[in-house]
Amino acid sequence: MEDIDTVVCGPVQLQIHSKPVYGLVLWPAATVLAGWLAKFDPCCGPLLELGCGAGLCGMAFAKATGSAAVLTDGEDDVLELAERNVELNGLHGVDVRCLDLGFMQEEEGKALIEEFGKFPLVVGSDMIFEPGGTARVLAAADQLLDSEGGRCVIALCNKLENFVVTLEAQGEAKGFEVEALIRSQSGVSLVVLLRGKPAWKLPAFEELEEAPSHQADQPDKQTCDRADLLFV
């Protein structure tokens, strides 16, 4: 079964196709991050979203700021869903590309850099479900972020909060500075990793006023068992 949610992200509203399946569902952390990204300055872009799922975060940023965004994931069905959502919202400055955070990461990352250049902003939400995932996300950010000045923002729901400390520690070991750790009232953690000296400042963080009606507050155990197994 597929849903179309109306999602309010700060100053913008998006229509989002989603499915109650791992990788295709709207997660709570995505709505929180999307609402914050919609308040970023246009000069922060272009943005690259890792593990984009339905593509909410990158699309919210693009629609609110008018800046370009590239949505990436390693699964064909996820990329297809993201493309449908981009088309549904009429976002011409948003591209969807494959980036497998595994053995193809380095080569696909090089292809992205050749096409778009390096990015001042790399983001992702609820995409670290296992210890090895932290290293893969940081490797992608290390490769794709502008070394002169870039930020990587990762959002994690409260079920995945145990990975926050690992993300901070491994980020610092890889040469990032932990610029901010923001915890929302809904239990979402936003980790901001800094590289170089970006020319733009982070906006103030405010909670979303509304949330979609079909987001994954209680993820289906069959489809999200990797997270469940880690924290039972």
Side-chain angles (χ1 to χ4, degrees), residues 105-226:
Q105 177 174 294
E106 185 174 349
E107 290 304 314
E108 290 177 349
K110 288 179 181 177
L112 285 169
I113 293 169
E114 288 178 3
E115 185 175 1
F116 299 102
K118 292 204 172 186
F119 296 84
L121 183 58
V122 173
V123 305
S125 60
D126 279 342
M127 52 178 305
I128 301 176
F129 293 96
E130 53 193 0
T134 304
R136 290 191 290 271
V137 167
L138 289 172
D142 186 46
Q143 181 182 17
L144 295 163
L145 266 181
D146 186 342
S147 60
E148 296 298 318
R151 288 184 172 95
C152 176
V153 184
I154 303 297
L156 297 168
C157 68
N158 55 0
K159 177 174 284 190
L160 304 175
E161 187 179 7
N162 286 15
F163 290 115
V164 170
V165 173
T166 303
L167 184 60
E168 291 179 307
Q170 291 190 16
E172 289 181 333
K174 209 164 183 65
F176 292 98
E177 176 187 341
V178 179
E179 182 179 16
L181 172 58
I182 301 166
R183 298 188 188 278
S184 75
Q185 294 178 3
S186 57
V188 172
S189 297
L190 299 166
V191 182
V192 183
L193 302 174
L194 184 67
R195 169 65 56 80
K197 296 182 178 180
W200 44 279
K201 295 182 179 180
L202 291 172
F205 175 79
E206 297 177 5
E207 294 281 359
L208 286 175
E209 295 180 359
E210 298 183 40
S213 57
H214 298 290
Q215 67 180 357
D217 291 312
Q218 297 293 331
D220 188 306
K221 187 173 180 62
Q222 271 192 313
T223 58
C224 303
D225 58 350
R226 283 192 287 175

Side-chain angles (χ1 to χ4, degrees), residues 42-145:
C43 71
C44 304
L47 167 149
L48 182 134
E49 182 175 2
L50 300 170
C52 67
L56 178 65
C57 296
M59 289 193 296
F61 173 83
K63 186 169 183 179
T65 66
S67 188
V70 180
L71 313 181
T72 69
D73 202 280
E75 300 291 337
D76 290 340
D77 53 348
V78 176
L79 296 172
E80 180 183 350
L81 183 73
E83 288 174 345
R84 290 176 62 197
N85 283 331
V86 170
E87 182 178 352
L88 178 65
N89 290 279
L91 296 172
H92 302 293
V94 179
D95 292 283
V96 179
R97 295 289 185 273
C98 185
L99 179 64
D100 182 354
L101 298 183
F103 68 94
M104 290 297 293
Q105 177 174 294
E106 185 174 349
E107 290 304 314
E108 290 177 349
K110 288 179 181 177
L112 285 169
I113 293 169
E114 288 178 3
E115 185 175 1
F116 299 102
K118 292 204 172 186
F119 296 84
L121 183 58
V122 173
V123 305
S125 60
D126 279 342
M127 52 178 305
I128 301 176
F129 293 96
E130 53 193 0
T134 304
R136 290 191 290 271
V137 167
L138 289 172
D142 186 46
Q143 181 182 17
L144 295 163
L145 266 181

